[in-house]
Amino acid sequence: MPTVVPGMEPTGSEVDALLESLPTVAVQGFGPDLRIDFWNTSSTGLYGWSRDEALGQRLDDLLLLPGDRPAYLAAVTALMDGSQPAPPPVVLEVLHRDGHTVPALCCLAMRQRGAAGPQVFCIDIDLRPQQQALAALRASEERLRVLADLSADWFWETDPEHRYSALHGEPGGQPDAEAVYLGKCRWEIDDGGLTEQEWDEHRALLARREPFRNLALRRIDASGRSRFYIVSGQPRFDGAGRFTGYIGVGRDLTELYEVRRESERLQAQLREAQKLEALGTLAGGVAHDFNNLLGALLGSLKMAREDAANGFPVASHLVQMERTGQRARELVQRILAYSRRTPAAMAPAQVQPLLTEAIALLRATLPARVALATDLADEPLWAELDAGQWQTALVNLGVNAWQALEGGGGSVCFGARADEFADGRAAVALWVRDTGCGMDEETRRRAFEPFFTTKAPGEGTGLGLALVHSVVVSHGGEIAIQTTPGAGTTIYIRLPRSAARDPAAAADGAAAAADAPPRGRRLLLVDDDDVVRLVASALLERAGCV
């Protein structure tokens, strides 16, 4: 009991002032007749009655439900006559002025007023905020429970020793998951997916009380099926800052893994089917080209035989046969250049002469109604490249540009200038621009795919732009297409630029090596084709080899 210094006891008015000042506690006072003689402002706020309306009213009639009145009156009577101490606080539904009830925690206290007799105070605390908070908490817990039930994830808790202490859901679809998991550590259950070193690193992370995310694990279930899943966890601490374990979530990825494996299997089958389709496309295109070449070769051979029998010169026919053979060899080299990805024979070369040579080849091939133009920088542009591959690539670009004119007239322009890559490195920019039909977005996107062609069946292999792309990439360059349907196409290429060099010295060295006779050398010739072996052997013997 608090000690009261004699002469310092609070007066009734001081107590009334104190009770009046309580901001959130409703206090009503009454005497033996239960008529209200004290009503603080908080009571008005809680129950709606003004002080003037409440004073003189019986408290039980004004505020209590009929069913609560007998017990309340008995407790007040026992308190006033001293037969019982103040009862413990009780929760009551108290009547409001407008007819609804207010939940309140009610307790009684009494003071003596001398001749005026005892005065009982009913002290009420509004429970609506607590009830609303509790209802919100319960609703939140229910939402979380429903979401957890609906979720494919499972939730877990561990104790300070990292043993599973609670589970919600079925890890890996196991109905007996609690029997498997509870009381055990993660590394005692999950028998695959991590190396011993990785487990040591995970245990060290747990010892540091750090969170972790998406730890990938594998476990063999009772049926022998591999289960794949990931877990994430967050450390927990109590109010005193003591570590109490981890709480986290796990996700079963087994079906996703199996779907991915099935998808990979189907993709492999699709790739094989695409290879077969590509081989069919390639075979059709190559067969068509070779059929033309063989027709020209056999025709020249027939005319040469007839002219030789009649005593006429056959040199022109032999020249045509040689050209036809070279074209056949170029076709094969074009296919091999793409399929084998042979490394480029890199050497410094000036770009403008390559473009000029390509244009010269095209002038002899393309119709007169196709105008060939150039836009070449005056300064010499050098790059490390394989000149042979690039001449083939440039001719391919020129032929594609001509074919985009769709048999009509138009122009094809080759250009070159100094440029830069996005990272600032020096570059040589090349482009081929035509005034043809252009490409739609789907064609532009697939233009560099091997065997993709917009030509009719048998009119091409679809290797032209794929070869160009392969050559550009092997030279460390970039290639892009700018096109508009009906307004032509421009293919841009950037190559790393190199320092200029004196071509005379390189040409002299190459010529000397080429002119060195093989006479007297002993060579072993190996080939599985009898015709090739006989012809090559004859050529080598004529050159002086033994």
Side-chain angles (χ1 to χ4, degrees):
M1 294 291 291
T3 301
V4 179
V5 179
M8 296 295 291
E9 299 88 346
T11 64
S13 60
E14 291 174 336
V15 172
D16 291 349
L18 176 63
L19 297 177
E20 173 62 32
S21 67
L22 296 175
T24 58
V25 179
V27 181
Q28 311 92 44
F30 53 87
D33 58 359
L34 268 69
R35 295 193 178 274
I36 298 172
D37 55 19
F38 180 84
W39 183 273
N40 72 350
T41 302
S42 294
S43 296
T44 299
L46 184 58
Y47 301 128
W49 301 95
S50 69
R51 182 179 285 107
D52 292 340
E53 291 173 325
L55 292 178
Q57 299 286 334
R58 283 181 60 94
L59 183 136
D60 54 345
D61 294 336
L62 187 70
L63 299 180
L64 297 181
L65 293 172
D68 294 330
R69 292 172 187 173
Y72 190 85
L73 291 176
V76 169
T77 300
L79 178 63
M80 286 188 172
D81 64 19
S83 62
Q84 293 289 339
V90 61
V91 176
L92 296 175
E93 292 290 331
V94 183
L95 287 169
H96 190 275
R97 190 177 189 277
D98 64 8
H100 73 274
T101 60
V102 177
L105 180 66
C106 304
C107 60
L108 299 175
M110 186 182 70
R111 70 173 178 177
Q112 295 294 337
R113 296 181 295 182
Q119 183 183 29
V120 174
F121 289 106
C122 182
I123 303 169
D124 303 337
I125 297 176
D126 186 3
L127 293 181
R128 286 175 299 182
Q130 291 89 334
Q131 288 187 351
Q132 291 169 356
L134 182 60
L137 177 61
R138 288 173 177 168
S140 176
E141 290 176 344
E142 177 63 16
R143 285 195 299 272
L144 289 175
R145 187 191 65 77
V146 171
L147 290 174
D149 289 340
L150 295 175
S151 174
D153 298 339
W154 50 282
F155 305 90
W156 52 268
E157 297 178 31
T158 59
D159 60 20
E161 302 301 322
H162 308 299
R163 294 183 294 263
Y164 282 104
S165 57
L167 290 175
H168 183 92
E170 298 177 357
Q174 272 190 280
D176 59 344
E178 290 191 354
V180 174
Y181 278 77
L182 294 184
K184 296 180 182 178
C185 296
R186 185 171 297 114
W187 45 89
E188 296 174 334
I189 303 170
D190 303 310
D191 52 6
L194 293 184
T195 65
E196 190 58 38
Q197 179 181 352
E198 288 170 330
W199 277 123
D200 289 341
E201 293 173 355
H202 179 63
R203 284 188 284 264
L205 180 145
L206 298 179
R208 297 193 299 268
R209 315 291 192 247
E210 295 179 0
F212 61 92
R213 290 183 60 82
N214 298 334
L215 178 68
L217 300 172
R218 179 177 66 86
R219 190 177 56 77
I220 309 299
D221 64 15
S223 67
R225 182 186 182 190
S226 291
R227 311 289 310 196
F228 301 91
Y229 56 98
I230 56 174
V231 292
S232 301
Q234 182 79 21
R236 294 187 302 163
F237 301 89
D238 62 16
R242 292 185 295 267
F243 173 67
T244 60
Y246 274 80
I247 186 170
V249 62
R251 174 168 296 179
D252 190 343
L253 301 179
T254 303
E255 292 185 1
L256 179 62
Y257 271 78
E258 292 175 347
V259 168
R260 182 178 299 172
R261 283 199 296 264
E262 178 65 13
S263 174
E264 291 173 352
R265 186 184 67 81
L266 293 176
Q267 287 178 359
Q269 290 183 349
L270 177 60
R271 284 193 296 271
E272 291 300 318
Q274 289 174 335
K275 286 180 182 178
L276 293 176
E277 180 182 355
L279 286 173
T281 303
L282 176 61
V286 171
H288 176 80
D289 291 347
F290 263 100
N291 185 54
N292 291 340
L293 295 172
L294 289 174
L297 185 64
L298 293 173
S300 297
L301 180 60
K302 183 176 182 296
M303 289 186 292
R305 182 182 299 156
E306 292 174 352
D307 288 350
N310 295 324
F312 297 122
V314 296
S316 61
H317 300 305
L318 295 177
V319 170
Q320 184 60 41
M321 292 169 61
E322 183 180 15
R323 289 176 179 172
T324 304
Q326 289 174 346
R327 288 177 58 193
R329 182 176 61 183
E330 289 172 0
L331 177 61
V332 173
Q333 286 176 342
R334 184 185 304 178
I335 298 171
L336 294 178
Y338 179 79
S339 62
R340 292 183 179 174
R341 294 293 196 273
T342 53
M346 308 290 283
Q350 190 175 345
V351 172
Q352 288 95 328
L354 289 177
L355 290 170
T356 303
E357 292 172 9
I359 292 171
L361 290 172
L362 291 168
R363 285 193 192 280
T365 306
L366 303 187
R369 61 180 177 273
V370 177
L372 291 175
T374 59
D375 181 13
L376 306 179
D378 294 332
E379 62 173 317
L381 301 174
W382 289 80
E384 288 274 345
L385 49 80
D386 183 320
Q389 287 190 10
W390 269 102
Q391 190 172 66
T392 302
L394 292 171
V395 170
N396 276 335
L397 290 175
V399 171
N400 276 357
W402 164 56
Q403 291 172 342
L405 301 179
E406 296 184 328
S411 65
V412 177
C413 179
F414 286 77
R417 69 168 184 268
D419 201 354
E420 287 185 350
F421 287 103
D423 58 8
R425 290 180 296 133
V428 175
L430 308 175
W431 66 90
V432 179
R433 180 181 297 115
D434 66 66
T435 58
C437 60
M439 306 179 190
D440 58 25
E441 178 57 28
E442 175 68 11
T443 302
R444 186 201 65 79
R445 186 178 62 82
R446 300 187 61 192
F448 297 126
E449 291 184 13
F451 312 120
F452 173 75
T453 179
T454 57
K455 301 182 181 69
E459 293 186 5
T461 61
L463 289 173
L465 287 180
L467 171 63
V468 173
H469 182 271
S470 174
V471 171
V472 171
V473 171
S474 69
H475 284 70
E478 301 173 347
I479 186 168
I481 298 176
Q482 179 179 327
T483 184
T484 303
T489 298
T490 303
I491 296 184
Y492 289 97
I493 297 171
R494 284 192 184 91
L495 296 175
R497 188 174 179 181
S498 66
R501 61 171 291 185
D502 181 7
D508 292 344
D515 292 339
R519 193 175 305 279
R521 295 183 183 178
R522 183 179 299 276
L523 300 178
L524 175 63
L525 175 62
V526 179
D527 198 283
D528 60 352
D529 188 285
D530 292 340
V531 175
V532 172
R533 189 168 60 251
L534 290 172
V535 173
S537 178
L539 289 173
L540 290 172
E541 289 176 359
R542 181 173 295 184
C545 295
V546 294

